[in-house]
Amino acid sequence: MHVPDGFINAPVSAVTGAVAAGAIAVSLRGARRELDEKTAPLAGLVAAFIFAVQMLNFPVAAGTSGHLLGGALAAILVGPFTGVLCVSVVLLMQGILFADGGLTALGVNITDMAIVTTVVSYALFRGLVKVLPRKRRSITVAAFVSALLSVPAAALAFTLIYAIGGTTDVAISKVATAMIGVHVLIGIGEAAITALTVGAVIAVRPDLVYGARGLQQRLKLRVNGELVDAPTAAVPVAARSSHRKVWITGLVTSLVLAGFVSFYASASPDGLEKVAKDKGIDQKAEQHATEDSPLAGYGVKDVSDARISGGLAGVIGVGVTIVAGTGVFWAIRRRRTADASPVSLPEGV
């Protein structure tokens, strides 16, 4: 659903840019409360994983494909504020390096794909968790439903933005029907990927899943006939799996998906591209400012073999995204640590 330059006029693009900047500023502050020594590196990995899976377009209808948006996945794994930042990092890397999603439309894409999907999905997720049984399976179910509904919500958000600032004269009812209809189907794929990923992490390290915090019951010990909470050190880490093992597994999976599996992704246009072509809202689409980038189109320039070119581009993308994301999240974590440090007072005060 990457919106290219030219779909939305300059004033509305500027407004969405301001909205995106404000949301990122708020998220930077909110992420300080969500990130700790375990989740800061995980957040960078989540961004890289979303980048990798977004390369895997899957067919949803005749001549149409879809791909993960990632807002629900990021919000559930590392928190809603951090989730907005994860998807924003991915969109920034895609726009600058791979000419995917317009640069003047970056505010539109962040608003639509990072903010709307994260806010809608996490609100639904928290509501479902409150009414479902306090079990790990409930987290997976809530993840599936919230991810499913976040995609048509993003499609609706784009439709509203287009209604205000679209550069072509197309009946908004036609755009809405087409966009929401195809993105309900794409939402099923989003839901499956999100639920499978969240379920996999919960199976080995439920303590790393932000959305599952507060749902695990403390180990109880009987002392003098009364049940009391066991000390934190006495609570076993789920499956005795190390944080490093989870991180390495996630990184290897991302590299394999982007570097190898992406070659087999559907070549059909995604939901927005298909609707834009069918309804004529792409008539004023502009060339991307970085279309001459060595990685434009998810291929390495001057590498003739399509498989090798796409694989190298995917691996580079994962590497750049994880470095950029981890750097941002470690900086936020260090800022939180600095803010929490006690202030030294002069002697005698």
Side-chain angles (χ1 to χ4, degrees):
M1 199 190 290
H2 296 74
V3 180
D5 295 321
F7 274 29
I8 307 298
N9 64 30
V12 174
S13 294
V15 170
T16 56
V19 170
I24 289 173
V26 171
S27 296
L28 286 169
R29 294 183 62 85
R32 295 182 198 172
R33 300 190 299 271
E34 296 172 347
L35 295 171
D36 55 30
E37 65 279 357
K38 294 185 297 184
T39 55
L42 178 64
L45 177 62
V46 169
F49 182 77
I50 290 173
F51 174 90
V53 180
Q54 283 196 1
M55 294 182 66
L56 309 181
N57 280 45
F58 48 84
V60 294
T64 309
S65 69
H67 63 72
L68 180 81
L69 298 185
L73 177 62
I76 295 167
L77 287 180
V78 292
F81 293 108
T82 308
V84 169
L85 298 177
C86 282
V87 181
S88 297
V89 167
V90 173
L91 293 171
L92 186 61
M93 296 299 102
Q94 290 171 332
I96 294 175
L97 298 179
F98 298 91
D100 190 10
L103 295 185
T104 62
L106 186 59
V108 176
N109 285 318
I110 290 176
T111 299
D112 194 27
M113 296 175 63
I115 301 170
V116 171
T117 58
T118 301
V119 171
V120 170
S121 64
Y122 198 71
L124 289 170
F125 176 82
R126 296 309 307 172
L128 289 169
V129 165
K130 289 181 179 179
V131 299
L132 292 172
R134 295 171 63 89
K135 298 180 179 179
R136 292 181 183 179
R137 183 177 300 177
S138 297
I139 300 295
T140 305
V141 171
F144 183 94
V145 175
S146 59
L148 171 62
L149 296 178
S150 71
V151 178
L156 178 60
F158 168 79
T159 303
L160 294 175
I161 293 172
Y162 178 81
I164 299 171
T167 56
T168 54
D169 187 17
V170 179
I172 195 64
S173 58
K174 294 182 179 180
V175 176
T177 301
M179 282 293 293
I180 296 173
V182 72
H183 282 90
V184 167
L185 299 177
I186 294 173
I188 297 173
E190 177 101 11
I193 294 169
T194 301
L196 287 171
T197 305
V198 171
V201 178
I202 284 181
V204 295
R205 287 293 298 268
D207 57 307
L208 293 180
V209 178
Y210 183 88
R213 293 181 179 180
L215 296 181
Q216 302 178 65
Q217 294 183 351
R218 291 286 301 275
L219 182 66
K220 298 288 186 178
L221 297 177
R222 186 173 296 278
V223 178
N224 297 327
E226 297 183 0
L227 289 176
V228 297
D229 287 336
T232 302
V235 181
V237 175
R240 298 288 183 183
S241 298
S242 70
H243 183 200
R244 180 177 298 178
K245 182 178 179 180
V246 172
W247 195 92
I248 292 175
T249 301
L251 176 59
V252 171
T253 301
S254 300
L255 290 171
V256 170
L257 292 176
F260 177 72
V261 181
S262 62
F263 182 77
Y264 301 97
S266 172
S268 299
D270 69 15
L272 175 58
E273 292 174 318
K274 180 66 172 175
V275 172
K277 183 177 180 180
D278 290 348
K279 303 303 178 183
I281 65 177
D282 62 350
Q283 297 174 14
K284 296 185 178 181
E286 301 173 1
Q287 291 184 332
H288 200 283
T290 63
E291 64 176 355
D292 294 327
S293 164
L295 299 173
Y298 296 94
V300 178
K301 191 175 182 179
D302 298 329
V303 176
S304 58
D305 188 288
R307 187 189 299 270
I308 296 175
S309 177
L312 284 174
V315 169
I316 292 170
V318 168
V320 172
T321 303
I322 200 168
V323 169
T326 302
V328 169
F329 298 123
W330 268 118
I332 295 172
R333 170 61 183 160
R334 290 184 64 183
R335 179 66 180 272
R336 171 186 171 179
T337 302
D339 291 345
S341 299
V343 177
S344 298
L345 296 177
E347 187 176 350
V349 176

Short mmCIF file of all heavy atoms in Angstrom, two decimals, residues 78-102:
data_model
loop_
_atom_site.label_atom_id
_atom_site.label_comp_id
_atom_site.label_asym_id
_atom_site.label_seq_id
_atom_site.Cartn_x
_atom_site.Cartn_y
_atom_site.Cartn_z
N VAL A 78 6.42 -5.35 20.46
CA VAL A 78 7.30 -4.40 21.17
C VAL A 78 6.57 -3.17 21.71
O VAL A 78 7.21 -2.30 22.31
CB VAL A 78 8.47 -3.96 20.26
CG1 VAL A 78 9.40 -5.12 20.00
CG2 VAL A 78 7.97 -3.38 18.94
N GLY A 79 5.26 -3.06 21.53
CA GLY A 79 4.51 -1.94 22.08
C GLY A 79 4.06 -0.98 20.99
O GLY A 79 4.71 -0.86 19.94
N PRO A 80 2.95 -0.28 21.20
CA PRO A 80 2.39 0.58 20.15
C PRO A 80 3.28 1.76 19.77
O PRO A 80 3.39 2.10 18.59
CB PRO A 80 1.06 1.05 20.75
CG PRO A 80 1.23 0.88 22.24
CD PRO A 80 2.09 -0.32 22.40
N PHE A 81 3.91 2.42 20.75
CA PHE A 81 4.78 3.55 20.42
C PHE A 81 6.01 3.08 19.64
O PHE A 81 6.37 3.64 18.61
CB PHE A 81 5.20 4.28 21.69
CG PHE A 81 4.09 4.98 22.39
CD1 PHE A 81 3.59 4.49 23.59
CD2 PHE A 81 3.51 6.13 21.86
CE1 PHE A 81 2.55 5.13 24.25
CE2 PHE A 81 2.48 6.78 22.51
CZ PHE A 81 1.98 6.28 23.71
N THR A 82 6.62 2.02 20.14
CA THR A 82 7.77 1.45 19.44
C THR A 82 7.35 0.89 18.08
O THR A 82 8.11 0.94 17.11
CB THR A 82 8.43 0.35 20.28
OG1 THR A 82 8.70 0.86 21.59
CG2 THR A 82 9.72 -0.12 19.66
N GLY A 83 6.13 0.36 18.01
CA GLY A 83 5.61 -0.17 16.75
C GLY A 83 5.52 0.89 15.67
O GLY A 83 5.86 0.64 14.51
N VAL A 84 5.05 2.07 16.02
CA VAL A 84 5.00 3.18 15.06
C VAL A 84 6.39 3.49 14.53
O VAL A 84 6.60 3.70 13.33
CB VAL A 84 4.38 4.44 15.71
CG1 VAL A 84 4.57 5.66 14.82
CG2 VAL A 84 2.90 4.22 15.99
N LEU A 85 7.38 3.48 15.42
CA LEU A 85 8.75 3.77 15.01
C LEU A 85 9.31 2.66 14.13
O LEU A 85 10.03 2.93 13.16
CB LEU A 85 9.62 3.96 16.24
CG LEU A 85 9.25 5.13 17.16
CD1 LEU A 85 10.16 5.16 18.38
CD2 LEU A 85 9.32 6.45 16.42
N CYS A 86 9.01 1.41 14.45
CA CYS A 86 9.49 0.28 13.64
C CYS A 86 9.03 0.41 12.19
O CYS A 86 9.83 0.32 11.26
CB CYS A 86 8.97 -1.04 14.21
SG CYS A 86 9.84 -1.65 15.66
N VAL A 87 7.73 0.60 12.00
CA VAL A 87 7.19 0.68 10.64
C VAL A 87 7.69 1.94 9.94
O VAL A 87 7.98 1.93 8.74
CB VAL A 87 5.65 0.63 10.66
CG1 VAL A 87 5.10 0.68 9.23
CG2 VAL A 87 5.15 -0.63 11.36
N SER A 88 7.86 3.03 10.69
CA SER A 88 8.38 4.27 10.11
C SER A 88 9.80 4.09 9.60
O SER A 88 10.16 4.60 8.53
CB SER A 88 8.31 5.41 11.13
OG SER A 88 6.97 5.69 11.50
N VAL A 89 10.63 3.38 10.37
CA VAL A 89 12.00 3.10 9.93
C VAL A 89 11.98 2.30 8.63
O VAL A 89 12.73 2.59 7.69
CB VAL A 89 12.78 2.33 11.02
CG1 VAL A 89 14.09 1.77 10.46
CG2 VAL A 89 13.07 3.25 12.21
N VAL A 90 11.11 1.30 8.56
CA VAL A 90 11.00 0.49 7.34
C VAL A 90 10.60 1.35 6.15
O VAL A 90 11.20 1.27 5.07
CB VAL A 90 9.98 -0.65 7.54
CG1 VAL A 90 9.74 -1.40 6.22
CG2 VAL A 90 10.46 -1.62 8.61
N LEU A 91 9.59 2.19 6.32
CA LEU A 91 9.12 3.04 5.23
C LEU A 91 10.19 4.02 4.78
O LEU A 91 10.32 4.31 3.58
CB LEU A 91 7.85 3.79 5.67
CG LEU A 91 6.62 2.92 5.90
CD1 LEU A 91 5.50 3.76 6.54
CD2 LEU A 91 6.13 2.30 4.61
N LEU A 92 10.95 4.53 5.73
CA LEU A 92 12.02 5.47 5.38
C LEU A 92 13.11 4.76 4.57
O LEU A 92 13.57 5.29 3.54
CB LEU A 92 12.63 6.05 6.66
CG LEU A 92 13.67 7.16 6.46
CD1 LEU A 92 13.07 8.34 5.75
CD2 LEU A 92 14.25 7.57 7.81
N MET A 93 13.51 3.57 4.98
CA MET A 93 14.51 2.81 4.23
C MET A 93 14.00 2.46 2.84
O MET A 93 14.73 2.56 1.85
CB MET A 93 14.88 1.52 4.98
CG MET A 93 15.56 1.71 6.33
SD MET A 93 17.13 2.60 6.23
CE MET A 93 16.63 4.23 6.79
N GLN A 94 12.74 2.05 2.74
CA GLN A 94 12.18 1.68 1.45
C GLN A 94 12.10 2.88 0.51
O GLN A 94 12.40 2.76 -0.69
CB GLN A 94 10.78 1.09 1.64
CG GLN A 94 10.79 -0.29 2.31
CD GLN A 94 9.41 -0.75 2.70
OE1 GLN A 94 8.51 0.05 2.97
NE2 GLN A 94 9.22 -2.06 2.74
N GLY A 95 11.71 4.02 1.04
CA GLY A 95 11.57 5.21 0.21
C GLY A 95 12.90 5.74 -0.29
O GLY A 95 13.02 6.11 -1.46
N ILE A 96 13.90 5.76 0.57
CA ILE A 96 15.19 6.34 0.21
C ILE A 96 16.03 5.39 -0.63
O ILE A 96 16.59 5.78 -1.66
CB ILE A 96 15.96 6.75 1.48
CG1 ILE A 96 15.25 7.89 2.20
CG2 ILE A 96 17.39 7.16 1.13
CD1 ILE A 96 15.88 8.28 3.52
N LEU A 97 16.11 4.13 -0.23
CA LEU A 97 17.03 3.20 -0.87
C LEU A 97 16.40 2.42 -2.03
O LEU A 97 17.08 2.12 -3.02
CB LEU A 97 17.57 2.20 0.15
CG LEU A 97 18.38 2.78 1.31
CD1 LEU A 97 18.81 1.67 2.24
CD2 LEU A 97 19.60 3.53 0.78
N PHE A 98 15.12 2.10 -1.91
CA PHE A 98 14.51 1.19 -2.88
C PHE A 98 13.45 1.84 -3.77
O PHE A 98 12.79 1.16 -4.55
CB PHE A 98 13.91 -0.01 -2.14
CG PHE A 98 14.93 -0.82 -1.40
CD1 PHE A 98 15.23 -0.53 -0.08
CD2 PHE A 98 15.61 -1.84 -2.02
CE1 PHE A 98 16.19 -1.26 0.61
CE2 PHE A 98 16.56 -2.59 -1.35
CZ PHE A 98 16.86 -2.30 -0.03
N ALA A 99 13.28 3.15 -3.65
CA ALA A 99 12.31 3.89 -4.46
C ALA A 99 10.91 3.29 -4.35
O ALA A 99 10.15 3.22 -5.32
CB ALA A 99 12.76 3.93 -5.92
N ASP A 100 10.55 2.85 -3.15
CA ASP A 100 9.24 2.25 -2.90
C ASP A 100 8.45 3.16 -1.97
O ASP A 100 8.75 3.27 -0.78
CB ASP A 100 9.43 0.87 -2.27
CG ASP A 100 8.12 0.09 -2.19
OD1 ASP A 100 7.13 0.55 -2.79
OD2 ASP A 100 8.11 -0.97 -1.55
N GLY A 101 7.44 3.84 -2.51
CA GLY A 101 6.71 4.83 -1.74
C GLY A 101 7.35 6.19 -1.93
O GLY A 101 8.55 6.36 -1.70
N GLY A 102 6.57 7.16 -2.38
CA GLY A 102 7.12 8.47 -2.71
C GLY A 102 7.72 9.19 -1.52
O GLY A 102 7.29 9.00 -0.37
#
